[in-house]
Amino acid sequence: MNTLNLKILGAGKINPTINIDGKSVKFKKNEFGSYSTNFTTEKEQVEIVIYKHLEINGKLWFLMSILFFIISLFGLLDTRYDRKCVVVDCKFLVNLQEKTEMTIKVNSLTNEGKAVECTCNTEFQEISNQYYVDKRAKKRLKILLAVKIILWLALIGTVIALVATRS
């Protein structure tokens, strides 16, 4: 039985999804703000995937965004989208021992370079370790902002027209 003790520092910056061997893993937050988990397996090697999926890149992004915009009282109670549109794509293959310690530190996503820095007491292979700004998501956010402004102006115009006809 091999155990992987995985600790992630600075994950709150990007709020990523982390899978180990294709399974989503639950993490515990400690008092210092880092996340940790213990993963036990019979395998000699595991694949760790760290990614961030942007909601605005979904299939029905426009319909869902406008629907929740209207339901949330025209954006007053709506959650905000990430304006930076940073996508993280990291994949590692880790050779396990009986007890393996791995620490992943999320880098600042404002500078060029790797998305995360890893330290491990065994060998690991870095398949991908990058982050980038999703231009398609940025464009969609601009379109969504324009539509929301038009909807607000239509709402204000409708209220003014209703008040004017009642007087």
Side-chain angles (χ1 to χ4, degrees):
M1 208 52 133
N2 296 323
T3 302
L4 172 66
N5 294 325
L6 182 61
K7 188 176 191 180
I8 300 181
L9 308 171
K13 299 175 193 174
I14 59 172
N15 196 17
T17 302
I18 301 164
N19 293 338
I20 299 177
D21 277 345
K23 298 176 187 171
S24 186
V25 180
K26 298 268 184 179
F27 283 85
K28 295 179 185 174
K29 188 174 182 179
N30 67 11
E31 66 272 5
F32 303 112
S34 62
Y35 296 90
S36 61
T37 190
N38 292 329
F39 184 77
T40 306
T41 184
E42 294 288 333
K43 296 180 181 180
E44 296 295 322
Q45 188 177 49
V46 293
E47 178 184 56
I48 299 174
V49 178
I50 303 169
Y51 64 94
K52 181 178 179 185
H53 174 73
L54 298 175
E55 182 182 334
I56 198 130
N57 282 335
K59 287 183 179 181
L60 299 173
W61 69 273
F62 187 75
L63 178 66
M64 296 305 289
S65 297
I66 296 302
L67 177 69
F68 283 111
F69 178 71
I70 293 170
I71 290 174
S72 68
L73 303 175
F74 287 91
L76 295 176
L77 304 174
D78 201 5
T79 58
R80 305 290 181 230
Y81 289 110
D82 181 19
R83 297 279 178 203
K84 296 177 184 174
C85 298
V86 174
V87 176
V88 176
D89 179 27
C90 300
K91 187 183 282 190
F92 302 98
L93 289 175
V94 180
N95 296 327
L96 296 179
Q97 296 175 346
E98 190 172 325
K99 186 167 184 175
T100 305
E101 301 281 336
M102 185 171 192
T103 303
I104 297 175
K105 180 180 178 260
V106 177
N107 290 333
S108 173
L109 300 179
T110 57
N111 301 329
E112 292 296 322
K114 295 182 177 183
V116 297
E117 295 292 329
C118 297
T119 56
C120 188
N121 64 350
T122 64
E123 290 183 17
F124 68 95
Q125 180 183 3
E126 183 178 297
I127 297 172
S128 68
N129 186 0
Q130 64 179 345
Y131 66 91
Y132 57 92
V133 176
D134 191 348
K135 293 179 182 176
R136 183 175 77 174
K138 283 260 191 201
K139 184 177 179 182
R140 287 181 174 185
L141 280 176
K142 289 177 184 176
I143 292 168
L144 190 60
L145 179 63
V147 170
K148 286 180 178 181
I149 290 171
I150 290 169
L151 285 174
W152 264 106
L153 292 174
L155 177 69
I156 292 170
T158 305
V159 169
I160 290 173
L162 287 174
V163 169
T165 57
R166 287 193 151 204
S167 299

